[in-house]
Each structure stands twice: as C-alpha cells, then as structure tokens.
Amino acid sequence: MQPIYLVASGDLRLSANRNCEAAQSAMEQQLARAIEGLGGTVKRAHPFDPARQHGFIDSQHYGMEVFRSIPPKAPLIVAEAVWQYSHHVLAGLLTHQGPILTVANWSGTWPGLVGMLNLNGCLTKAGVPYSTLWSEDFTDDFAVRGLKKWLKTGKLTHETSHVMPYAAARVPAAAAKAGKEFAQTFRKQKAIMGIFDEGCMGMYNAIIPDELLYPTGVYKERLSQSTLYARMRTVKEDDARGVYRWLKEKGMTFRFGRHEETDLTEAQVIQQCKMYIAAARIADEFRCDVIGIQYQQGLKDLAPASDLTEGLLNNVERPPVHDDAGTRELFPGEAIPHFNEVDECAGLDALVTYRLWRSMGLPPETTLHDLRWGRTFGTNGSEKFVWVFEISGAVPPAHLVGGYSGAVGERQPPMYFRLGGSTIKGVSKPGAVVWSRVFVAGGALHYDTGLAESIALPESETQDRWNLTTPQWPVMHAVIEGVTRDQMMARHKANHINVVYAPDRATARTAMFTRAAAMKELGLKVNFCGRIR
C-alpha cells in the first residue's frame, strides 16, 4: 500500500500554533496508530520547525511549498486538532488528484472540529471531492470502519437521511405565501451589506460571490478596517464612557485586572465602546443594513477585540449612539445586525432573519456560533446529545439568561488577542430556537435549516463544558431536533451556525417555514434538517 501523506494546516498567529502543537501531535499519533493497525503507512509531508516551535503549515506560501513535494495522486489526509486557516492548504488541495480525507479529533479544547468544518465548507464551495471523519481517539468502531473504507476505496460517505428538500417538506400554505411575499418585497427594496475587509482567517467558504448575492437584492459595500480604526480615534472620550456607564447601569459585570498583557482593563473596554460608536456611525454614513467586522487580522494589532462591539450592535436594546454632531440618534429602537468574522453567508441569513422576525412580531436578535463540540448529558435513560455552540463574545445580551445583568465581560485570551478586549460571556436562555446555514455549493447558494432547543444544564456541567472549550466565551447548550452528532458533522458545510429564538416550538416552526419559503423565493436551494413536525 502506498504511503498516505498527512498535512496539518494551522493558525497564522505564532502564539496559537505554539500553544496547540502538543494537542496536534497527540492526535496525529492516535491517527497514525489506527491507520497502521489497518495496514497503512502515514508520511508527514512537512516537519516540526524547531525555530517556530510547531509543525503547522502557517501560511499560504508554505502550503504551496509543502504540496510541491506530495505526489499529485497520493492519498492525502488533512488532520486538524486546532483552528486552521483553510487558505494555507486550499491551493494544494484544489489541484491534488488523489483521494482527500479531512480528519478532526472529537475534542472541544482546541477548535479542531471547527477548523475541519471550515475546510469542508471551503472544499465544497470549490467543488473539490473529499471525505471526512472525526473521532475522540480513532479506536471506536465508527472511526475504524471509516478509515478502513477510505483506505480501501478512497471514498467515505455518511448517512444523511435527516435532510429533506423543500419540495418534500409540505410547507404550510400560509407560511409559504407569507415567506414569498416577504422575499419579493425584500428583493425589490434592496439592501446593503457592509463588509469591513473580506475573507477573515482564510474562510473562503464565508465569501459569497457577488453574482450569487446580487439576485437576492443584497449588495456589498466594501469597507476597510483601517477606516473603522481611524473613525474610532474621532470618538470623544465622554461618548465612549457614556456607553460604558450605560452597560454598568444595565447590570453588566466586567472582571478587571491590573496587567494589560493578561487582564481585562477599563481602558480596553473604553476602546471597544469607541469601536461600537464608530461602527454605528459608518453604518449610518453608508446606509448599511447589516455589517460585518473581520477583526481577527489587522484590526487585532491596533485595537482590542471587537466582540463586545458586535454583541451590542446585534441587540435591539443597546446604548444609544448619535452622529458626530450629537444631534441625531442612529438607528433608534433597532439593532444593527452584525455578522461575526465577516462571514457573508451568516450575514445574508442574519439580515433576512432580522427583518422577517421583526415583521412577525418576534424577538429579532440573531447571532452565529461556532459548532464547537458536544457530548451526551442526562440520566436514567433520558440522555441527549447536547452541543456546545460557542463564539468569541459577539452574542446579543438578549440571548443570555438575565440579559445584560447576566452578561460578564472577561478578557479575550492573549494567544488570540494581544490587546485584549471584553467578551460578552453568559449562558443562552432556555427556549425554542431555529438554526440555519447559508453555504455555497455547485455554483449556487444553499440553505439548511431546522429546529433546536436551548436547554439549561446544571451549573457544574456548564462550567465543565466551559473549561473544556474557552471559558471566556458565551455558550448555548443546544439540542438539535432529529439530527445525530454524526449526521450534523456529515452535512454541515461551515464552522458557523446561525441561531434565533422564538417564544415556543409552534411559533418557531411557523417562522422556520416562513423563512425557508423566503429563502427559496430569493433563489436559494432549501433543505430542512431533522424533525420539523
């Protein structure tokens, strides 16, 4: 059997790659043992770099160099135990002619599952054939069977019977009519998507080609993060402190320390308040209906993280912002929908959702989360698989238990954000949820949606899940109706998932059908996932 080449795409940030090296190495050893047990041989295509102190592909150029040494028809595994930048390896994968398997370890400690899902979404958009697999340690039957089949055939598919096309779903006539009429008005009125620098963290899958977006009635306003930073510098200190006072009066808690390098400080929060005001003013200037800040690159070297800013923008009840002259309130009584990490697929979804939920008299706050990890929870035979939905802080306080008074600001981890900044940490309130994802496949926009429930877990279980993932970030304990862990992983073509609440399951179901009909009218290929009756 010819050797199987293995590559590991990593972060762009040196600190992240160094911190995550041990987890990646342990995962690769487990994977190699499993493959060798089935008669295969693994050959790592790039070495550990003693100077950098890690063994990841950490740039697009290095990725191209690595792929030059890989036989073009050799079987290839992309192994991920960490967050990775897909564009580091995308150039090589686009031209590779051999079978490709993307693999992640089932762990929440570092977001390897998130990184693999992002890469899968990128490969799907690019039309590159691939197989995918996940496991805790690659000794379970699911993983061993999957590896055995891929080694033998070069292909691996998973069961996805939970997916139902729109035409087969028997969408209620009233919801279909309402959704279609909403979409026709939406497209006719047109909307502007403000994008502060496209393409965050190599997320090729998160960029909607203009020719696919424009038929929906949404048009891009390409903005610059340098403009956002420059605008921050024009915000008066008193205005920023006014936002900060408003948050404290609403009950939000900030956990401050004295050391800028490792602790959250008031100065960092004031800068985030300036960013919030600046973003709102730019959105007003360009008449943007939805905005997205890239923030992970470039901006993170100039300012604290934008997560506090983003969560406030996504909330209907938020600190008031006025124009530069201080005479006109901007977007009064409204959220300014924001899509984290400038994920345009999530942005389109967020805008449609916000306006539709608003028109239906429902709470319109929406956000994306990472589909981070999950495990079963329960006793006495009533176990459920409960997902950890978790993003770096851009969740609207309306989603959290206690609202603003349940929100805690903690410092973003230094390995990702050198200049710190506050998150909006909290636990998402129990209730009915509609989840969704827009993605690109086969040169067209697709839309998956389904029902979920945000549930309450014991405090000890919540804390354990935080400790196993990122304890500074907000979390949703989500049960996705009628979709198993492996079905979700097999189908989902993105690292992100959009969520929005409804007062009860019946209302959530009606709203889900209405939004699905709207997306269909806007030209997206719609599928329902899981139990929808």
PDB file of all heavy atoms in Angstrom, residues 288-323:
ATOM      1  N   CYS A 288     -25.833  51.170   5.627  1.00  0.00           N
ATOM      2  CA  CYS A 288     -25.726  49.701   5.638  1.00  0.00           C
ATOM      3  C   CYS A 288     -26.880  49.100   6.435  1.00  0.00           C
ATOM      4  O   CYS A 288     -27.245  49.592   7.501  1.00  0.00           O
ATOM      5  CB  CYS A 288     -24.402  49.261   6.259  1.00  0.00           C
ATOM      6  SG  CYS A 288     -22.947  49.765   5.330  1.00  0.00           S
ATOM      7  N   ASP A 289     -27.423  48.008   5.926  1.00  0.00           N
ATOM      8  CA  ASP A 289     -28.497  47.298   6.607  1.00  0.00           C
ATOM      9  C   ASP A 289     -27.977  46.179   7.497  1.00  0.00           C
ATOM     10  O   ASP A 289     -28.677  45.712   8.398  1.00  0.00           O
ATOM     11  CB  ASP A 289     -29.457  46.718   5.564  1.00  0.00           C
ATOM     12  CG  ASP A 289     -30.063  47.804   4.708  1.00  0.00           C
ATOM     13  OD1 ASP A 289     -31.016  48.449   5.174  1.00  0.00           O
ATOM     14  OD2 ASP A 289     -29.575  48.021   3.581  1.00  0.00           O
ATOM     15  N   VAL A 290     -26.761  45.737   7.241  1.00  0.00           N
ATOM     16  CA  VAL A 290     -26.105  44.701   8.022  1.00  0.00           C
ATOM     17  C   VAL A 290     -24.610  44.914   7.836  1.00  0.00           C
ATOM     18  O   VAL A 290     -24.175  45.343   6.767  1.00  0.00           O
ATOM     19  CB  VAL A 290     -26.541  43.286   7.570  1.00  0.00           C
ATOM     20  CG1 VAL A 290     -26.225  43.044   6.100  1.00  0.00           C
ATOM     21  CG2 VAL A 290     -25.936  42.182   8.435  1.00  0.00           C
ATOM     22  N   ILE A 291     -23.814  44.690   8.883  1.00  0.00           N
ATOM     23  CA  ILE A 291     -22.375  44.891   8.758  1.00  0.00           C
ATOM     24  C   ILE A 291     -21.617  43.714   9.353  1.00  0.00           C
ATOM     25  O   ILE A 291     -22.130  42.977  10.203  1.00  0.00           O
ATOM     26  CB  ILE A 291     -21.892  46.202   9.426  1.00  0.00           C
ATOM     27  CG1 ILE A 291     -22.170  46.192  10.932  1.00  0.00           C
ATOM     28  CG2 ILE A 291     -22.515  47.410   8.759  1.00  0.00           C
ATOM     29  CD1 ILE A 291     -21.553  47.365  11.671  1.00  0.00           C
ATOM     30  N   GLY A 292     -20.374  43.547   8.903  1.00  0.00           N
ATOM     31  CA  GLY A 292     -19.504  42.512   9.434  1.00  0.00           C
ATOM     32  C   GLY A 292     -18.092  43.038   9.580  1.00  0.00           C
ATOM     33  O   GLY A 292     -17.574  43.695   8.678  1.00  0.00           O
ATOM     34  N   ILE A 293     -17.495  42.777  10.735  1.00  0.00           N
ATOM     35  CA  ILE A 293     -16.120  43.196  11.008  1.00  0.00           C
ATOM     36  C   ILE A 293     -15.226  41.958  10.968  1.00  0.00           C
ATOM     37  O   ILE A 293     -15.522  40.959  11.634  1.00  0.00           O
ATOM     38  CB  ILE A 293     -16.012  43.887  12.380  1.00  0.00           C
ATOM     39  CG1 ILE A 293     -16.922  45.117  12.435  1.00  0.00           C
ATOM     40  CG2 ILE A 293     -14.566  44.277  12.684  1.00  0.00           C
ATOM     41  CD1 ILE A 293     -17.031  45.738  13.826  1.00  0.00           C
ATOM     42  N   GLN A 294     -14.125  42.021  10.223  1.00  0.00           N
ATOM     43  CA  GLN A 294     -13.223  40.869  10.159  1.00  0.00           C
ATOM     44  C   GLN A 294     -12.510  40.662  11.495  1.00  0.00           C
ATOM     45  O   GLN A 294     -12.531  39.572  12.040  1.00  0.00           O
ATOM     46  CB  GLN A 294     -12.188  41.053   9.050  1.00  0.00           C
ATOM     47  CG  GLN A 294     -11.313  39.824   8.878  1.00  0.00           C
ATOM     48  CD  GLN A 294     -10.084  40.067   8.046  1.00  0.00           C
ATOM     49  OE1 GLN A 294      -8.987  39.791   8.469  1.00  0.00           O
ATOM     50  NE2 GLN A 294     -10.264  40.591   6.843  1.00  0.00           N
ATOM     51  N   TYR A 295     -11.834  41.619  11.990  1.00  0.00           N
ATOM     52  CA  TYR A 295     -11.241  41.775  13.323  1.00  0.00           C
ATOM     53  C   TYR A 295     -10.113  40.826  13.672  1.00  0.00           C
ATOM     54  O   TYR A 295      -9.222  41.162  14.441  1.00  0.00           O
ATOM     55  CB  TYR A 295     -12.326  41.738  14.401  1.00  0.00           C
ATOM     56  CG  TYR A 295     -12.610  40.434  15.109  1.00  0.00           C
ATOM     57  CD1 TYR A 295     -12.446  40.349  16.486  1.00  0.00           C
ATOM     58  CD2 TYR A 295     -13.066  39.317  14.434  1.00  0.00           C
ATOM     59  CE1 TYR A 295     -12.725  39.179  17.183  1.00  0.00           C
ATOM     60  CE2 TYR A 295     -13.345  38.153  15.108  1.00  0.00           C
ATOM     61  CZ  TYR A 295     -13.188  38.078  16.477  1.00  0.00           C
ATOM     62  OH  TYR A 295     -13.472  36.922  17.153  1.00  0.00           O
ATOM     63  N   GLN A 296     -10.079  39.630  13.143  1.00  0.00           N
ATOM     64  CA  GLN A 296      -9.046  38.684  13.565  1.00  0.00           C
ATOM     65  C   GLN A 296      -7.662  39.057  13.028  1.00  0.00           C
ATOM     66  O   GLN A 296      -6.659  38.711  13.638  1.00  0.00           O
ATOM     67  CB  GLN A 296      -9.403  37.260  13.113  1.00  0.00           C
ATOM     68  CG  GLN A 296     -10.555  36.651  13.873  1.00  0.00           C
ATOM     69  CD  GLN A 296     -10.135  36.033  15.190  1.00  0.00           C
ATOM     70  OE1 GLN A 296      -9.016  36.202  15.632  1.00  0.00           O
ATOM     71  NE2 GLN A 296     -11.041  35.322  15.828  1.00  0.00           N
ATOM     72  N   GLN A 297      -7.588  39.686  11.890  1.00  0.00           N
ATOM     73  CA  GLN A 297      -6.295  40.095  11.346  1.00  0.00           C
ATOM     74  C   GLN A 297      -6.295  41.596  11.114  1.00  0.00           C
ATOM     75  O   GLN A 297      -7.303  42.173  10.742  1.00  0.00           O
ATOM     76  CB  GLN A 297      -5.995  39.354  10.029  1.00  0.00           C
ATOM     77  CG  GLN A 297      -5.809  37.862  10.207  1.00  0.00           C
ATOM     78  CD  GLN A 297      -4.713  37.541  11.227  1.00  0.00           C
ATOM     79  OE1 GLN A 297      -3.736  38.262  11.358  1.00  0.00           O
ATOM     80  NE2 GLN A 297      -4.892  36.456  11.948  1.00  0.00           N
ATOM     81  N   GLY A 298      -5.144  42.205  11.324  1.00  0.00           N
ATOM     82  CA  GLY A 298      -5.047  43.638  11.106  1.00  0.00           C
ATOM     83  C   GLY A 298      -5.603  44.430  12.266  1.00  0.00           C
ATOM     84  O   GLY A 298      -4.856  45.060  13.023  1.00  0.00           O
ATOM     85  N   LEU A 299      -6.910  44.385  12.444  1.00  0.00           N
ATOM     86  CA  LEU A 299      -7.539  45.163  13.498  1.00  0.00           C
ATOM     87  C   LEU A 299      -7.064  44.721  14.874  1.00  0.00           C
ATOM     88  O   LEU A 299      -6.910  45.542  15.781  1.00  0.00           O
ATOM     89  CB  LEU A 299      -9.055  45.063  13.396  1.00  0.00           C
ATOM     90  CG  LEU A 299      -9.861  46.063  14.233  1.00  0.00           C
ATOM     91  CD1 LEU A 299      -9.597  47.482  13.789  1.00  0.00           C
ATOM     92  CD2 LEU A 299     -11.350  45.753  14.154  1.00  0.00           C
ATOM     93  N   LYS A 300      -6.818  43.417  15.051  1.00  0.00           N
ATOM     94  CA  LYS A 300      -6.381  42.919  16.367  1.00  0.00           C
ATOM     95  C   LYS A 300      -5.010  43.477  16.759  1.00  0.00           C
ATOM     96  O   LYS A 300      -4.653  43.462  17.937  1.00  0.00           O
ATOM     97  CB  LYS A 300      -6.326  41.390  16.369  1.00  0.00           C
ATOM     98  CG  LYS A 300      -5.183  40.817  15.538  1.00  0.00           C
ATOM     99  CD  LYS A 300      -5.016  39.340  15.741  1.00  0.00           C
ATOM    100  CE  LYS A 300      -3.895  38.787  14.865  1.00  0.00           C
ATOM    101  NZ  LYS A 300      -2.595  39.442  15.048  1.00  0.00           N
ATOM    102  N   ASP A 301      -4.241  43.965  15.781  1.00  0.00           N
ATOM    103  CA  ASP A 301      -2.936  44.545  16.081  1.00  0.00           C
ATOM    104  C   ASP A 301      -3.029  46.032  16.426  1.00  0.00           C
ATOM    105  O   ASP A 301      -2.038  46.649  16.816  1.00  0.00           O
ATOM    106  CB  ASP A 301      -1.992  44.350  14.888  1.00  0.00           C
ATOM    107  CG  ASP A 301      -1.793  42.887  14.551  1.00  0.00           C
ATOM    108  OD1 ASP A 301      -1.591  42.097  15.485  1.00  0.00           O
ATOM    109  OD2 ASP A 301      -1.849  42.535  13.359  1.00  0.00           O
ATOM    110  N   LEU A 302      -4.223  46.595  16.258  1.00  0.00           N
ATOM    111  CA  LEU A 302      -4.424  48.027  16.517  1.00  0.00           C
ATOM    112  C   LEU A 302      -5.323  48.299  17.710  1.00  0.00           C
ATOM    113  O   LEU A 302      -5.202  49.350  18.348  1.00  0.00           O
ATOM    114  CB  LEU A 302      -5.056  48.684  15.284  1.00  0.00           C
ATOM    115  CG  LEU A 302      -4.219  48.733  14.008  1.00  0.00           C
ATOM    116  CD1 LEU A 302      -5.088  49.209  12.849  1.00  0.00           C
ATOM    117  CD2 LEU A 302      -3.023  49.645  14.188  1.00  0.00           C
ATOM    118  N   ALA A 303      -6.245  47.367  17.987  1.00  0.00           N
ATOM    119  CA  ALA A 303      -7.286  47.643  18.973  1.00  0.00           C
ATOM    120  C   ALA A 303      -7.690  46.359  19.688  1.00  0.00           C
ATOM    121  O   ALA A 303      -7.428  45.256  19.200  1.00  0.00           O
ATOM    122  CB  ALA A 303      -8.505  48.255  18.268  1.00  0.00           C
ATOM    123  N   PRO A 304      -8.350  46.491  20.831  1.00  0.00           N
ATOM    124  CA  PRO A 304      -8.905  45.306  21.483  1.00  0.00           C
ATOM    125  C   PRO A 304      -9.936  44.625  20.579  1.00  0.00           C
ATOM    126  O   PRO A 304     -10.441  45.211  19.621  1.00  0.00           O
ATOM    127  CB  PRO A 304      -9.565  45.881  22.743  1.00  0.00           C
ATOM    128  CG  PRO A 304      -8.863  47.163  22.997  1.00  0.00           C
ATOM    129  CD  PRO A 304      -8.539  47.708  21.641  1.00  0.00           C
ATOM    130  N   ALA A 305     -10.241  43.387  20.896  1.00  0.00           N
ATOM    131  CA  ALA A 305     -11.175  42.593  20.094  1.00  0.00           C
ATOM    132  C   ALA A 305     -12.527  43.288  19.961  1.00  0.00           C
ATOM    133  O   ALA A 305     -12.946  44.045  20.836  1.00  0.00           O
ATOM    134  CB  ALA A 305     -11.361  41.217  20.725  1.00  0.00           C
ATOM    135  N   SER A 306     -13.215  43.001  18.872  1.00  0.00           N
ATOM    136  CA  SER A 306     -14.468  43.699  18.559  1.00  0.00           C
ATOM    137  C   SER A 306     -15.708  42.997  19.088  1.00  0.00           C
ATOM    138  O   SER A 306     -16.824  43.431  18.818  1.00  0.00           O
ATOM    139  CB  SER A 306     -14.591  43.874  17.042  1.00  0.00           C
ATOM    140  OG  SER A 306     -14.588  42.623  16.390  1.00  0.00           O
ATOM    141  N   ASP A 307     -15.552  41.928  19.880  1.00  0.00           N
ATOM    142  CA  ASP A 307     -16.713  41.117  20.256  1.00  0.00           C
ATOM    143  C   ASP A 307     -17.752  41.873  21.077  1.00  0.00           C
ATOM    144  O   ASP A 307     -18.951  41.694  20.890  1.00  0.00           O
ATOM    145  CB  ASP A 307     -16.243  39.880  21.017  1.00  0.00           C
ATOM    146  CG  ASP A 307     -15.333  39.014  20.174  1.00  0.00           C
ATOM    147  OD1 ASP A 307     -15.855  38.223  19.381  1.00  0.00           O
ATOM    148  OD2 ASP A 307     -14.106  39.152  20.278  1.00  0.00           O
ATOM    149  N   LEU A 308     -17.309  42.684  22.020  1.00  0.00           N
ATOM    150  CA  LEU A 308     -18.262  43.484  22.788  1.00  0.00           C
ATOM    151  C   LEU A 308     -19.030  44.411  21.854  1.00  0.00           C
ATOM    152  O   LEU A 308     -20.263  44.526  21.934  1.00  0.00           O
ATOM    153  CB  LEU A 308     -17.530  44.292  23.862  1.00  0.00           C
ATOM    154  CG  LEU A 308     -18.390  45.247  24.692  1.00  0.00           C
ATOM    155  CD1 LEU A 308     -19.415  44.482  25.515  1.00  0.00           C
ATOM    156  CD2 LEU A 308     -17.513  46.115  25.601  1.00  0.00           C
ATOM    157  N   THR A 309     -18.324  45.042  20.955  1.00  0.00           N
ATOM    158  CA  THR A 309     -18.948  45.904  19.946  1.00  0.00           C
ATOM    159  C   THR A 309     -20.019  45.146  19.168  1.00  0.00           C
ATOM    160  O   THR A 309     -21.153  45.629  19.001  1.00  0.00           O
ATOM    161  CB  THR A 309     -17.871  46.415  18.969  1.00  0.00           C
ATOM    162  OG1 THR A 309     -16.947  47.239  19.670  1.00  0.00           O
ATOM    163  CG2 THR A 309     -18.489  47.190  17.819  1.00  0.00           C
ATOM    164  N   GLU A 310     -19.670  43.965  18.699  1.00  0.00           N
ATOM    165  CA  GLU A 310     -20.561  43.196  17.835  1.00  0.00           C
ATOM    166  C   GLU A 310     -21.821  42.751  18.551  1.00  0.00           C
ATOM    167  O   GLU A 310     -22.928  42.791  18.002  1.00  0.00           O
ATOM    168  CB  GLU A 310     -19.800  42.003  17.274  1.00  0.00           C
ATOM    169  CG  GLU A 310     -18.618  42.396  16.400  1.00  0.00           C
ATOM    170  CD  GLU A 310     -17.767  41.202  16.003  1.00  0.00           C
ATOM    171  OE1 GLU A 310     -18.251  40.062  16.131  1.00  0.00           O
ATOM    172  OE2 GLU A 310     -16.628  41.404  15.569  1.00  0.00           O
ATOM    173  N   GLY A 311     -21.667  42.293  19.809  1.00  0.00           N
ATOM    174  CA  GLY A 311     -22.836  41.857  20.564  1.00  0.00           C
ATOM    175  C   GLY A 311     -23.804  42.994  20.830  1.00  0.00           C
ATOM    176  O   GLY A 311     -25.025  42.812  20.767  1.00  0.00           O
ATOM    177  N   LEU A 312     -23.272  44.184  21.113  1.00  0.00           N
ATOM    178  CA  LEU A 312     -24.134  45.341  21.345  1.00  0.00           C
ATOM    179  C   LEU A 312     -24.881  45.719  20.072  1.00  0.00           C
ATOM    180  O   LEU A 312     -26.077  46.035  20.101  1.00  0.00           O
ATOM    181  CB  LEU A 312     -23.307  46.528  21.841  1.00  0.00           C
ATOM    182  CG  LEU A 312     -22.571  46.349  23.168  1.00  0.00           C
ATOM    183  CD1 LEU A 312     -21.842  47.636  23.545  1.00  0.00           C
ATOM    184  CD2 LEU A 312     -23.513  45.924  24.268  1.00  0.00           C
ATOM    185  N   LEU A 313     -24.191  45.697  18.938  1.00  0.00           N
ATOM    186  CA  LEU A 313     -24.844  46.027  17.669  1.00  0.00           C
ATOM    187  C   LEU A 313     -26.005  45.085  17.378  1.00  0.00           C
ATOM    188  O   LEU A 313     -27.040  45.492  16.842  1.00  0.00           O
ATOM    189  CB  LEU A 313     -23.824  45.966  16.525  1.00  0.00           C
ATOM    190  CG  LEU A 313     -22.742  47.047  16.507  1.00  0.00           C
ATOM    191  CD1 LEU A 313     -21.660  46.692  15.493  1.00  0.00           C
ATOM    192  CD2 LEU A 313     -23.325  48.430  16.204  1.00  0.00           C
ATOM    193  N   ASN A 314     -25.854  43.823  17.766  1.00  0.00           N
ATOM    194  CA  ASN A 314     -26.875  42.811  17.468  1.00  0.00           C
ATOM    195  C   ASN A 314     -28.090  42.896  18.374  1.00  0.00           C
ATOM    196  O   ASN A 314     -29.062  42.158  18.168  1.00  0.00           O
ATOM    197  CB  ASN A 314     -26.264  41.405  17.583  1.00  0.00           C
ATOM    198  CG  ASN A 314     -25.697  40.913  16.270  1.00  0.00           C
ATOM    199  OD1 ASN A 314     -26.161  41.310  15.206  1.00  0.00           O
ATOM    200  ND2 ASN A 314     -24.705  40.041  16.325  1.00  0.00           N
ATOM    201  N   ASN A 315     -28.072  43.738  19.377  1.00  0.00           N
ATOM    202  CA  ASN A 315     -29.149  43.816  20.356  1.00  0.00           C
ATOM    203  C   ASN A 315     -30.055  45.010  20.081  1.00  0.00           C
ATOM    204  O   ASN A 315     -29.574  46.119  19.845  1.00  0.00           O
ATOM    205  CB  ASN A 315     -28.554  43.958  21.765  1.00  0.00           C
ATOM    206  CG  ASN A 315     -29.316  43.157  22.787  1.00  0.00           C
ATOM    207  OD1 ASN A 315     -29.379  41.928  22.693  1.00  0.00           O
ATOM    208  ND2 ASN A 315     -29.903  43.829  23.764  1.00  0.00           N
ATOM    209  N   VAL A 316     -31.368  44.780  20.116  1.00  0.00           N
ATOM    210  CA  VAL A 316     -32.305  45.892  19.911  1.00  0.00           C
ATOM    211  C   VAL A 316     -32.145  46.920  21.027  1.00  0.00           C
ATOM    212  O   VAL A 316     -32.066  48.129  20.771  1.00  0.00           O
ATOM    213  CB  VAL A 316     -33.754  45.370  19.838  1.00  0.00           C
ATOM    214  CG1 VAL A 316     -34.741  46.543  19.832  1.00  0.00           C
ATOM    215  CG2 VAL A 316     -33.953  44.512  18.589  1.00  0.00           C
ATOM    216  N   GLU A 317     -32.111  46.456  22.273  1.00  0.00           N
ATOM    217  CA  GLU A 317     -31.851  47.358  23.401  1.00  0.00           C
ATOM    218  C   GLU A 317     -30.342  47.495  23.554  1.00  0.00           C
ATOM    219  O   GLU A 317     -29.649  46.546  23.927  1.00  0.00           O
ATOM    220  CB  GLU A 317     -32.446  46.801  24.692  1.00  0.00           C
ATOM    221  CG  GLU A 317     -32.262  47.739  25.877  1.00  0.00           C
ATOM    222  CD  GLU A 317     -32.665  47.122  27.197  1.00  0.00           C
ATOM    223  OE1 GLU A 317     -32.745  45.883  27.282  1.00  0.00           O
ATOM    224  OE2 GLU A 317     -32.891  47.877  28.157  1.00  0.00           O
ATOM    225  N   ARG A 318     -29.839  48.672  23.246  1.00  0.00           N
ATOM    226  CA  ARG A 318     -28.387  48.872  23.244  1.00  0.00           C
ATOM    227  C   ARG A 318     -28.093  50.330  23.579  1.00  0.00           C
ATOM    228  O   ARG A 318     -28.990  51.186  23.524  1.00  0.00           O
ATOM    229  CB  ARG A 318     -27.790  48.508  21.875  1.00  0.00           C
ATOM    230  CG  ARG A 318     -28.409  49.255  20.720  1.00  0.00           C
ATOM    231  CD  ARG A 318     -27.865  48.849  19.362  1.00  0.00           C
ATOM    232  NE  ARG A 318     -28.559  49.565  18.307  1.00  0.00           N
ATOM    233  CZ  ARG A 318     -28.315  50.829  17.949  1.00  0.00           C
ATOM    234  NH1 ARG A 318     -27.358  51.496  18.551  1.00  0.00           N
ATOM    235  NH2 ARG A 318     -29.004  51.403  16.985  1.00  0.00           N
ATOM    236  N   PRO A 319     -26.847  50.626  23.935  1.00  0.00           N
ATOM    237  CA  PRO A 319     -26.510  52.018  24.257  1.00  0.00           C
ATOM    238  C   PRO A 319     -26.792  52.928  23.062  1.00  0.00           C
ATOM    239  O   PRO A 319     -26.408  52.590  21.927  1.00  0.00           O
ATOM    240  CB  PRO A 319     -25.011  51.952  24.561  1.00  0.00           C
ATOM    241  CG  PRO A 319     -24.738  50.534  24.918  1.00  0.00           C
ATOM    242  CD  PRO A 319     -25.703  49.720  24.112  1.00  0.00           C
ATOM    243  N   PRO A 320     -27.452  54.051  23.268  1.00  0.00           N
ATOM    244  CA  PRO A 320     -27.741  54.956  22.145  1.00  0.00           C
ATOM    245  C   PRO A 320     -26.456  55.542  21.554  1.00  0.00           C
ATOM    246  O   PRO A 320     -25.505  55.832  22.272  1.00  0.00           O
ATOM    247  CB  PRO A 320     -28.614  56.046  22.763  1.00  0.00           C
ATOM    248  CG  PRO A 320     -28.328  55.987  24.224  1.00  0.00           C
ATOM    249  CD  PRO A 320     -28.001  54.566  24.537  1.00  0.00           C
ATOM    250  N   VAL A 321     -26.458  55.671  20.228  1.00  0.00           N
ATOM    251  CA  VAL A 321     -25.336  56.277  19.509  1.00  0.00           C
ATOM    252  C   VAL A 321     -25.877  57.444  18.691  1.00  0.00           C
ATOM    253  O   VAL A 321     -26.899  57.299  18.008  1.00  0.00           O
ATOM    254  CB  VAL A 321     -24.644  55.262  18.577  1.00  0.00           C
ATOM    255  CG1 VAL A 321     -23.513  55.936  17.793  1.00  0.00           C
ATOM    256  CG2 VAL A 321     -24.118  54.072  19.362  1.00  0.00           C
ATOM    257  N   HIS A 322     -25.188  58.561  18.752  1.00  0.00           N
ATOM    258  CA  HIS A 322     -25.580  59.742  17.982  1.00  0.00           C
ATOM    259  C   HIS A 322     -24.543  60.040  16.908  1.00  0.00           C
ATOM    260  O   HIS A 322     -23.422  59.522  16.947  1.00  0.00           O
ATOM    261  CB  HIS A 322     -25.757  60.948  18.910  1.00  0.00           C
ATOM    262  CG  HIS A 322     -26.916  60.816  19.841  1.00  0.00           C
ATOM    263  ND1 HIS A 322     -26.836  60.101  21.017  1.00  0.00           N
ATOM    264  CD2 HIS A 322     -28.185  61.299  19.768  1.00  0.00           C
ATOM    265  CE1 HIS A 322     -28.001  60.136  21.646  1.00  0.00           C
ATOM    266  NE2 HIS A 322     -28.846  60.872  20.905  1.00  0.00           N
ATOM    267  N   ASP A 323     -24.920  60.857  15.964  1.00  0.00           N
ATOM    268  CA  ASP A 323     -23.982  61.273  14.922  1.00  0.00           C
ATOM    269  C   ASP A 323     -22.862  62.116  15.534  1.00  0.00           C
ATOM    270  O   ASP A 323     -22.868  62.429  16.731  1.00  0.00           O
ATOM    271  CB  ASP A 323     -24.698  62.007  13.792  1.00  0.00           C
ATOM    272  CG  ASP A 323     -25.395  63.293  14.263  1.00  0.00           C
ATOM    273  OD1 ASP A 323     -25.178  63.721  15.421  1.00  0.00           O
ATOM    274  OD2 ASP A 323     -26.147  63.868  13.465  1.00  0.00           O
TER     275      ASP A 323
END
